[in-house]
Amino acid sequence: MRSQWNDAEDEALQGLTPEAQVIYLRGFRRYMDYRTGVAGGPVRKLSYRAMAELIAVDPDWGSQRKRSETPTLGRVRARVAELERAGLVVNHGSSRSRGLVFKLPLADAGLVRPEKEQHKEPHREQHKEPHSGKVVNLPKMLEIVPVEQSRNDTGSSTGNDTRNNTHLFNSTGLNSTNAGARDIEAWPDTFQPQTPAEWGSFLGRERLWAFHRVSRPKLIAVYQCWTQWALSIGDIRQIMACAEASLGRIPDGPEYYKNFAEAYVTERDRLSQSIQNNQQGSIHGANAPDSGRRSKRDERAAVQRQLTDPDYAINNW
């Protein structure tokens, strides 16, 4: 997806806070409908929570800084109000059900078309002229293989062309690993990936992310933690469903699942420890009562009985 802004927008953005500029360029402007000049709505639902994720700051790999907390919704609303005061966005019927819907009056609408549409009409005009009687049969040099067939062909090499990194995950070299060579139906919920390559291959196939989205250096540590926590494919699918329900859409990369995975593991371990403690308590409860764990009331009652009952005092001295 390509997005660009004009000089009028650039002048209006000058002097605004960096967070407001990021929300406009990466939030509203990136997902604007060029036919109407409106961002949000049924085509691409936007929300304040999604805007908060855009301005969240992640520390660099190996940095000592802790990840900053996600900006509050009130802070995001203040930045959107700043864009409205600058004349960059105008509320166009935002609601709880439709999400954020804003019109971008300074943006160029109706002038930019997808690249495929720009070349469609000239291509048709070239073939309007009648062909001559001379037909040349060119030799068949390359056979086009469907994506589904090439996906199952484990013997083909997809890592030779460096342009593969710009295509979707199904065309990248990471698919040539043992994990990527499996069909998408071959990922059962009980399977536990053991390497970062397997986790990246699963996420790329599951969400059709590009290679660079699932192979960033800081994701390697995340994948290793998932392996140490013995998370299965079924666990990650549940975590992804919860995270996407909270965000309202599919995130831009696997980094968004990190906090949800940590919360899931913490709650899982807590419940497991609680069940184990209850089982141990029931076992101890079936045996004789432990004298070392007597309450103060029982101790006072035993002392009182020793003082009043001589036989009990002699037998239990």
Side-chain angles (χ1 to χ4, degrees):
M1 179 185 295
R2 295 181 180 180
S3 59
Q4 58 184 6
W5 64 95
N6 54 35
D7 293 339
E9 294 172 286
D10 190 73
E11 293 178 1
L13 288 171
Q14 180 63 33
L16 301 184
T17 59
E19 293 181 348
Q21 298 184 37
V22 171
I23 289 175
Y24 179 80
L25 295 177
R26 297 192 59 210
F28 294 115
R29 194 65 172 84
R30 179 173 176 80
Y31 301 111
M32 184 193 74
D33 187 353
Y34 281 96
R35 296 173 300 177
T36 60
V38 176
V43 178
R44 179 74 182 214
K45 188 175 182 180
L46 302 177
S47 63
Y48 287 112
R49 190 177 300 277
M51 299 299 178
E53 290 293 331
L54 293 178
I55 60 177
V57 179
D58 293 331
D60 295 334
W61 175 257
S63 175
Q64 300 297 330
R65 295 171 49 196
K66 295 183 179 180
R67 186 182 188 276
S68 59
E69 297 182 356
T70 303
T72 61
L73 300 184
R75 180 173 163 187
V76 178
R77 291 191 182 96
R79 302 287 78 80
V80 175
E82 182 180 355
L83 294 174
E84 290 186 277
R85 291 192 299 269
L88 287 164
V89 296
V90 177
N91 199 327
H92 197 66
S94 302
S95 63
R96 184 181 296 271
S97 59
R98 299 179 60 193
L100 299 181
V101 183
F102 281 85
K103 187 174 181 62
L104 282 59
L106 300 182
D108 297 330
L111 298 179
V112 180
R113 295 184 300 173
E115 185 176 356
K116 293 183 179 179
E117 294 184 4
Q118 294 178 1
H119 295 282
K120 188 181 297 182
E121 295 179 358
H123 183 70
R124 289 179 178 177
E125 293 178 357
Q126 292 177 1
H127 291 281
K128 286 183 180 180
E129 301 179 359
H131 293 281
S132 61
K134 299 180 180 180
V135 179
V136 179
N137 294 325
L138 296 178
K140 186 177 180 180
M141 299 297 295
L142 180 64
E143 182 179 1
I144 300 177
V145 181
V147 177
E148 292 78 4
Q149 183 177 352
S150 61
R151 180 183 302 172
N152 298 331
D153 188 4
T154 58
S156 61
S157 175
T158 58
N160 295 330
D161 192 354
T162 57
R163 295 173 299 174
N164 289 336
N165 292 337
T166 62
H167 291 76
L168 289 179
F169 189 87
N170 291 337
S171 301
T172 60
L174 192 55
N175 274 348
S176 61
T177 61
N178 294 332
R182 300 184 180 95
D183 293 337
I184 191 170
E185 293 83 3
W187 293 93
D189 290 342
T190 57
F191 178 72
Q192 294 182 353
Q194 300 299 319
T195 62
E198 289 183 338
W199 280 116
S201 180
F202 163 72
L203 292 171
R205 284 176 172 263
E206 194 81 0
R207 288 295 176 264
L208 295 181
W209 277 322
F211 175 75
H212 68 278
R213 290 288 186 186
V214 297
S215 61
R216 296 177 180 176
K218 63 181 180 180
L219 288 175
I220 303 300
V222 176
Y223 297 155
Q224 291 176 348
C225 289
W226 291 0
T227 303
Q228 294 176 359
W229 295 337
L231 292 177
S232 63
I233 294 297
D235 295 333
I236 292 299
R237 281 175 175 157
Q238 294 179 2
I239 292 170
M240 293 166 63
C242 295
E244 292 166 7
S246 176
L247 183 60
R249 61 178 178 86
I250 297 177
D252 296 332
E255 297 89 350
Y256 185 73
Y257 302 136
K258 176 183 176 183
N259 295 335
F260 290 88
E262 293 177 356
Y264 175 84
V265 173
T266 302
E267 184 65 16
R268 183 195 64 180
D269 295 343
R270 187 189 67 81
L271 293 176
S272 178
Q273 185 65 30
S274 177
I275 294 174
Q276 184 178 0
N277 293 338
N278 292 336
Q279 292 177 352
Q280 293 178 355
S282 62
I283 294 175
H284 290 298
N287 299 330
D290 187 4
S291 59
R293 295 188 177 181
R294 294 187 302 177
S295 63
K296 293 183 178 180
R297 179 181 298 178
D298 296 336
E299 293 178 356
R300 288 196 299 267
V303 172
Q304 185 67 23
R305 188 173 180 182
Q306 290 178 3
L307 295 175
T308 57
D309 190 352
D311 296 335
Y312 178 83
I314 293 174
N315 296 332
N316 295 276
W317 180 250

